[in-house]
Amino acid sequence: MKNDNWAYKYGPPPEDLSEKDSGWPGTWLLLAFLVIAPLIYFGPELGSIEAWIVDLYRMADRWMAPIRELVFG
């Protein structure tokens, strides 16, 4: 019956996990820094990138207008 005992099969129970810091606050801060820092650094250029994306959307919309008119018109 000694083999059926948990302590003999799997070893001692794990240490109390509440004492160990899993590192989540530091991970969230690092992630926030990695997202926010480029926005701050490249802030002046973001307006031109946004305008470029809007121009691409408008160009695609103009190309799709005849197809949309054919399908839904």
Side-chain angles (χ1 to χ4, degrees), residues 16-32:
D16 187 22
L17 296 177
S18 63
E19 294 177 5
K20 294 183 180 180
D21 184 21
S22 62
W24 281 107
T27 303
W28 285 111
L29 287 174
L30 179 63
L31 182 63

Side-chain angles (χ1 to χ4, degrees), residues 4-65:
D4 291 335
N5 194 343
W6 186 89
Y8 290 109
K9 276 181 147 177
Y10 303 107
E15 294 179 14
D16 187 22
L17 296 177
S18 63
E19 294 177 5
K20 294 183 180 180
D21 184 21
S22 62
W24 281 107
T27 303
W28 285 111
L29 287 174
L30 179 63
L31 182 63
F33 177 75
L34 291 175
V35 170
I36 300 297
L39 292 176
I40 293 170
Y41 184 76
F42 295 109
E45 289 83 18
L46 289 177
S48 62
I49 293 171
E50 181 184 357
W52 182 71
I53 292 172
V54 170
D55 289 342
L56 281 176
Y57 172 77
R58 288 181 181 160
M59 183 173 55
D61 187 44
R62 277 185 266 136
W63 287 351
M64 295 300 289

